[in-house]
């Protein structure tokens, strides 16, 4: 998606260790107009699919998913939680994933009430790198008996293996920008051709 | 706001210990059409004010704020983070608040780049009870030299003192539903008259 690639080039910051900072518009400060364009693009890419619900994971996925849902007939957005709370009770689907960004393992939790067997779900997140968070969401979906219709990612790090694994497993993965390489010395970013 | 009050009566669950669970539509599963109505209502309530940016706090505020921002001319939404990460670097505004829900103290962090002196900010969150999280955001705003134009809350627990303190301090606080009492035995909820 041209608008997203241009924005990454303009406001993204390449850091050593394969870190791409996009906190100016994606995951700390949010450009909701861009989110709306992203939602429209996913609606085009997943056109014809039955999407009953969008599932994402806190925190950065939430804003993107909620704005995008407006392009999917205002379907409910469920966000998986990464910590227990006294407000979370009753039956839950729970798994654990390791975050390289946070450098620790954390739980991924969804109340069973919000994933109903037979529902068709679109998974959305801001980043895909090694795919651990997405694997966690998919595991919960399988446990719940919901159908994963597709996966919408804003920025995929194409030089890590999360995307390849999901595509090989047969998922309809639509990443709006795929970074194939980036250079922390020059700041240069190479995107995969669509 | 009638739509929100009706939704709380229909899908909210009153639990012992003054807990109101609204995870079916507000803070675990999200009704984005309702969020849109809430955004429209805040735009009406804060009409005529200069709003350059919306500031909220992860995680439950993000979806509400991002959908609401569409009614404020697509202003940027900044969400304060509750944990350090390797993606957070550089100068930050940081304070600490105690969460009764999570039963622990956590940091409230905003990169200095995203709060610019002189900006006019609208604060948005899903809940207001004792007001600790909101006080944390206000503290960061003062430190940053931004003007707090108003505070938009979805559900205020009117029987706790957060709202009264903020109004006494002169803030333009607009809560879309104010719960004055709730009964865990009967499930009855009394809303404050507008």
């Amino acid at each position: 998606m041209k608008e997203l690639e241009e924005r990454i080039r303009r406001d993204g910051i390449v850091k050593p260790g394969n870190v791409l900072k996009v906190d100016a518009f994606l995951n700390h400060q949010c450009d909701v107009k861009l989110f709306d364009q992203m939602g429209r693009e996913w609606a085009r890419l997943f056109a014809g699919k039955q999407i009953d619900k969008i599932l994402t994971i806190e925190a950065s996925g939430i804003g993107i998913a909620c704005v995008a849902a407006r392009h999917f007939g205002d379907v409910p957005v469920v966000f998986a939680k990464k910590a227990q709370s006294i407000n979370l009770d009753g039956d839950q689907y729970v798994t654990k994933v390791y975050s390289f960004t946070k450098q620790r393992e954390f739980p991924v939790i969804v109340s069973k009430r919000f994933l109903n067997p037979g529902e068709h779900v679109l998974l959305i997140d801001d980043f895909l790198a090694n795919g651990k968070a997405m694997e966690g969401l998919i595991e919960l979906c399988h446990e719940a008996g919901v159908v994963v219709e597709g996966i919408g990612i804003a920025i995929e790090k194409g030089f890590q293996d999360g995307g390849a694994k999901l595509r090989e497993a047969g998922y309809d993965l639509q990443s709006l920008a795929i970074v194939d390489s980036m250079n922390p010395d020059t700041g240069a970013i190479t995107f995969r051709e669509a």
Side-chain angles (χ1 to χ4, degrees), chain A residues 1-2 4-10 20 154-156 176-182 188-194:
Chain A
M1 181 186 159
K2 273 291 157 235
L4 182 59
E5 291 183 1
E6 282 165 12
R7 191 60 178 276
I8 295 166
R9 278 197 212 281
R10 201 181 79 198
L20 175 61
I155 304 175
E156 177 181 336
L176 301 183
I178 303 179
V179 176
D180 266 340
S181 69
M182 48 191 199
I189 298 171
T190 310
F191 292 104
R192 190 172 304 176
E193 294 291 325

Side-chain angles (χ1 to χ4, degrees), chain A residues 29-125:
Chain A
Q29 182 167 256
C30 305
D31 182 336
V32 296
K33 196 169 175 182
L34 179 67
F35 288 8
D36 185 61
Q37 292 171 322
M38 289 160 50
R40 183 175 296 121
E41 179 66 3
W42 279 318
R44 189 183 71 80
L45 293 165
F46 295 112
K49 296 217 167 190
Q50 178 187 337
I51 308 288
D52 302 317
K53 191 169 274 182
I54 292 175
L55 177 63
T56 185
I57 184 164
E58 66 179 16
S60 307
I62 301 173
I64 299 168
C66 282
V67 173
R70 312 239 53 215
H71 292 280
F72 289 87
D74 287 331
V75 293
V77 172
V78 175
F79 61 89
K81 307 214 173 193
K82 288 181 180 170
Q84 289 290 354
S85 128
I86 58 167
N87 281 340
L88 266 173
D89 61 4
D91 277 349
Q92 305 167 344
Y93 299 109
V94 185
T95 186
K96 283 192 174 171
V97 304
Y98 182 80
S99 164
F100 290 88
T101 318
K102 306 272 182 193
Q103 297 179 315
R104 63 177 178 86
E105 196 176 60
F106 59 85
V108 178
I109 308 163
V110 176
S111 283
K112 290 194 176 178
R113 291 184 292 144
F114 303 134
L115 286 178
N116 303 306
E119 279 184 323
H120 292 239
V121 171
L122 172 64
L123 306 181
I124 280 190
D125 207 2

